[in-house]
């Protein structure tokens, strides 16, 4: 199986930080967000992946290039460890890149991968969702695909007040943490969600989705929505969902990105103890007011 990571969005929610760099390259402590997705792909046993990029996204390719222009003798311990991680990614995977010429939404970005995936099922990971779990979430979806041979969607239980920001499935439970999907409602009005199971950024898609995406009409903002294509596909084929375990960070906005950065720092052996003490003292610190 191959994997696709769409990374062609404009990142307008993070302006001005994303004016000259991709949102996917914003660091969580000292690691770009997209690297978490790439590492999950490799940990799931997938060796070929395609990153869909766009305008001003060249730094993503540069990041995963294992070569460095710095003299190895001048690298400190932290940088040496980082270099080792990137070398490991390069040795264990083959990363390809394709540009989405015009940012026409997630559905269109995935459609750009049609030649890469050919006639095979493939994984899709959204870099906005960082999922920390001893068993990679993508691997869990792959195991479900082996059993059901249908499209598989990752879902998470969310409080009612958050469901209006997500696609929500209408489920029929068929196993422990496994559901047959009867419908998908995109961003339901408060109180109208069919369940508390929200779609998160992990999918196993089957190749027939490409023809559906080709004929899916753009929705709001002129974007082709993956959810619209999945609902069309659901008319012709069964579809299942897997309940995602572990800790998920939705870093699609600034507040959640800050939360992820703080929590990731706290669990670091080299940063956590001292950072925790700093946070305890923070209420007494006189902070400057925002201008």
């Amino acid at each position: 199986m191959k994997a696709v990571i769409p990374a062609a969005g404009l990142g307008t929610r993070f302006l001005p930080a994303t004016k000259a760099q991709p949102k996917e390259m914003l660091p969580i402590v000292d690691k770009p967000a997209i690297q978490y997705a790439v590492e999950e792909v490799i940990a799931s046993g997938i060796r070929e992946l395609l990153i869909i990029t766009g305008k001003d996204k060249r730094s993503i390719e540069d990041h995963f290039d294992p070569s460095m222009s710095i003299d190895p003798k001048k690298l400190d311990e932290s940088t040496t460890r980082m270099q080792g991680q990137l070398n490991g990614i390069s040795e264990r995977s083959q990363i390809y890149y394709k540009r989405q010429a015009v940012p026409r939404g997630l559905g269109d970005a995935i459609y750009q991968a049609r030649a890469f995936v050919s006639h095979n099922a493939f994984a899709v990971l959204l870099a906005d969702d960082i999922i920390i779990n001893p068993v990679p979430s993508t691997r869990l979806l792959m195991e479900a695909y082996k059993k059901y041979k249908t499209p598989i969607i990752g879902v998470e239980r969310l409080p009612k007040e958050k469901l209006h920001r997500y696609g929500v499935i209408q489920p029929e439970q068929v196993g422990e943490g496994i559901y047959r999907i009867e419908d998908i409602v995109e961003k339901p009005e408060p109180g109208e969600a069919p369940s508390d199971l929200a779609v998160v950024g992990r999918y196993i898609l089957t190749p027939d989705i490409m023809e559906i995406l080709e004929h899916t009409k753009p929705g709001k903002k002129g974007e082709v929505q993956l959810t619209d294509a999945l609902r069309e596909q659901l008319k012709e084929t069964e579809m299942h969902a897997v309940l995602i375990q572990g800790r998920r960070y939705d870093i699609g906005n600034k507040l959640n990105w800050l939360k992820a950065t703080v929590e990731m720092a706290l669990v670091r052996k080299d940063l956590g103890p001292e950072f925790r003490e700093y946070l305890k003292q923070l209420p007494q610190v006189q902070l400057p007011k925002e201008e």
Side-chain angles (χ1 to χ4, degrees):
M1 186 174 288
K2 298 178 180 180
V4 176
I5 300 178
L10 298 176
T12 53
R13 291 181 181 178
F14 282 87
L15 287 170
T18 51
K19 182 179 183 297
Q21 71 168 331
K23 176 186 64 174
E24 296 80 10
M25 288 299 295
L26 292 175
I28 308 299
V29 187
D30 56 3
K31 184 189 297 185
I34 195 171
Q35 187 170 330
Y36 289 92
V38 171
E39 290 175 345
E40 182 180 324
V41 166
I42 296 171
S44 298
I46 297 174
R47 294 295 175 260
E48 290 186 87
L49 62 139
L50 175 68
I51 299 178
I52 306 297
T53 65
K55 186 178 183 294
D56 299 326
K57 302 273 186 169
R58 181 59 186 271
S59 60
I60 295 176
E61 298 182 42
D62 291 341
H63 176 71
F64 290 108
D65 187 339
S67 63
M68 290 187 68
S69 57
I70 306 174
D71 184 348
K73 297 179 182 179
K74 298 181 179 181
L75 300 181
D76 58 23
E77 182 179 350
S78 176
T79 310
T80 301
R81 182 176 63 251
M82 178 275 293
Q83 180 64 22
Q85 292 174 350
L86 292 177
N87 286 342
I89 290 173
S90 177
E91 292 167 1
R92 298 172 62 192
S93 68
Q94 181 64 54
I95 304 178
Y96 304 93
Y97 302 90
K98 181 177 174 62
R99 283 179 63 123
Q100 183 187 30
V102 180
R104 296 182 64 239
L106 175 59
D108 182 73
I110 293 172
Y111 181 67
Q112 303 304 313
R114 58 194 182 280
F116 175 73
V117 301
S118 186
H119 302 294
N120 303 300
F122 59 101
V124 173
L125 298 86
L126 305 188
D128 277 358
D129 279 331
I130 296 176
I131 303 174
I132 306 300
N133 190 15
V135 180
S137 298
T138 297
R139 186 189 301 173
L140 294 176
L141 268 62
M142 292 168 65
E143 291 172 356
Y145 175 77
K146 289 179 181 178
K147 179 176 181 180
Y148 294 101
K149 300 297 182 183
T150 68
I152 308 292
I153 297 176
V155 295
E156 181 185 36
R157 292 195 186 281
L158 289 181
K160 292 181 180 179
E161 61 270 18
K162 293 185 179 181
L163 293 173
H164 68 280
R165 298 184 298 204
Y166 293 83
V168 181
I169 68 166
Q170 182 177 333
E172 177 189 357
Q173 188 163 4
V174 294
E176 185 175 354
I178 305 290
Y179 305 87
R180 187 177 67 81
I181 298 175
E182 297 181 346
D183 195 8
I184 306 173
V185 179
E186 181 66 13
K187 297 181 179 179
E189 294 295 327
E192 296 183 4
S195 74
D196 62 351
L197 295 172
V199 176
V200 298
R202 298 294 184 271
Y203 309 82
I204 302 295
L205 302 179
T206 49
D208 53 311
I209 194 67
M210 293 301 185
E211 184 176 355
I212 298 172
L213 285 170
E214 183 180 8
H215 297 96
T216 299
K217 295 181 179 180
K220 295 180 180 179
K221 301 179 181 179
E223 296 182 345
V224 177
Q225 300 295 337
L226 176 61
T227 300
D228 292 341
L230 290 173
R231 292 192 72 187
E232 188 66 26
Q233 187 181 29
L234 192 56
K235 297 176 182 178
E236 303 294 334
T237 184
E238 281 197 342
M239 197 173 291
H240 291 82
V242 172
L243 184 63
I244 295 295
Q245 304 296 329
R247 179 69 165 158
R248 182 179 73 92
Y249 299 98
D250 177 359
I251 60 168
N253 61 63
K254 295 175 184 178
L255 180 59
N256 287 344
W257 174 74
L258 287 170
K259 290 178 180 179
T261 300
V262 170
E263 292 188 26
M264 292 284 199
L266 286 172
V267 299
R268 287 271 295 263
K269 292 181 180 179
D270 59 336
L271 298 173
E274 187 173 350
F275 187 43
R276 189 178 298 274
E277 290 303 314
Y278 165 74
L279 292 177
K280 290 179 181 178
Q281 300 171 16
L282 195 56
Q284 286 76 44
V285 177
Q286 187 67 33
L287 299 175
K289 294 183 179 180
E290 183 179 10
E291 294 183 359

